[in-house]
Amino acid sequence: MPVPTTEQLLHWADQYVATWNAGDKAAFEANWRAVAPGDFRMLDPVGTPEKVGFEECCLNPFDLFQPKLRFRIQPGTLFVCGNEVAWVMENHFTTDDGRKTVVLSIETYRFEPDGSAVLRTYYNVPDHGDGELGEIFQTYLP
């Protein structure tokens, strides 16, 4: 598989946010597989143990964080350079009691000619004692 084109990666980025925010797991998965049908590796965030495989990197986080999390890419921060994408993501969390928190992350995605993808994110991990958000991250990053 050739490296995705800039147009394909821009479409992927747009649909990444749209399908996640719609809670459409099948469309989220199809969007990913259109640009990365191969293996996945992820450091989320960098400095934590590496996750490997599409399910662990993409589908399990979808299941864990839906429907409490919505995304918004900060305007002006989406960059496509060759086979890599980077952005600053606004991660909008809403707890069961309606508390809203926004966590910013810097995220990079590298798409390889073999169809694989490498994801790297940077953010401050919420404290495990930080209520519902902390509980979610205790599950995600024990």
Side-chain angles (χ1 to χ4, degrees):
M1 168 180 183
V3 170
T5 65
T6 298
E7 293 75 24
Q8 288 171 316
L9 292 174
L10 288 170
H11 178 75
W12 165 80
D14 177 66
Q15 290 304 296
Y16 181 101
V17 172
T19 58
W20 179 284
N21 288 348
D24 189 340
K25 185 177 179 180
F28 183 75
E29 181 175 358
N31 183 55
W32 261 116
R33 288 312 199 177
V35 293
D39 293 331
F40 277 71
R41 292 181 24 240
M42 178 171 72
L43 293 166
D44 185 28
V46 168
T48 61
E50 184 177 59
K51 293 174 174 55
V52 177
F54 184 70
E55 190 164 319
E56 188 174 3
C57 295
C58 298
L59 300 182
N60 290 350
F62 188 96
D63 291 339
L64 178 63
F65 289 103
Q66 280 290 341
K68 297 178 184 305
L69 175 63
R70 295 293 174 262
F71 294 139
R72 179 176 176 265
I73 298 172
Q74 283 267 334
T77 70
L78 173 61
F79 302 95
V80 177
C81 299
N83 65 326
E84 298 195 34
V85 175
W87 59 47
V88 175
M89 181 72 79
E90 291 179 3
N91 300 270
H92 293 256
F93 288 94
T94 303
T95 61
D96 289 340
D97 64 2
R99 190 178 111 204
K100 296 180 187 277
T101 304
V102 177
V103 175
L104 295 178
S105 59
I106 298 171
E107 304 181 5
T108 65
Y109 303 83
R110 187 176 71 233
F111 299 88
E112 301 294 354
D114 66 358
S116 65
V118 178
L119 295 63
R120 295 171 60 90
T121 68
Y122 304 81
Y123 58 90
N124 295 320
V125 176
D127 186 85
H128 286 179
D130 186 16
E132 192 174 339
L133 186 57
E135 289 176 21
I136 291 170
F137 272 89
Q138 190 167 10
T139 299
Y140 188 61
L141 298 171

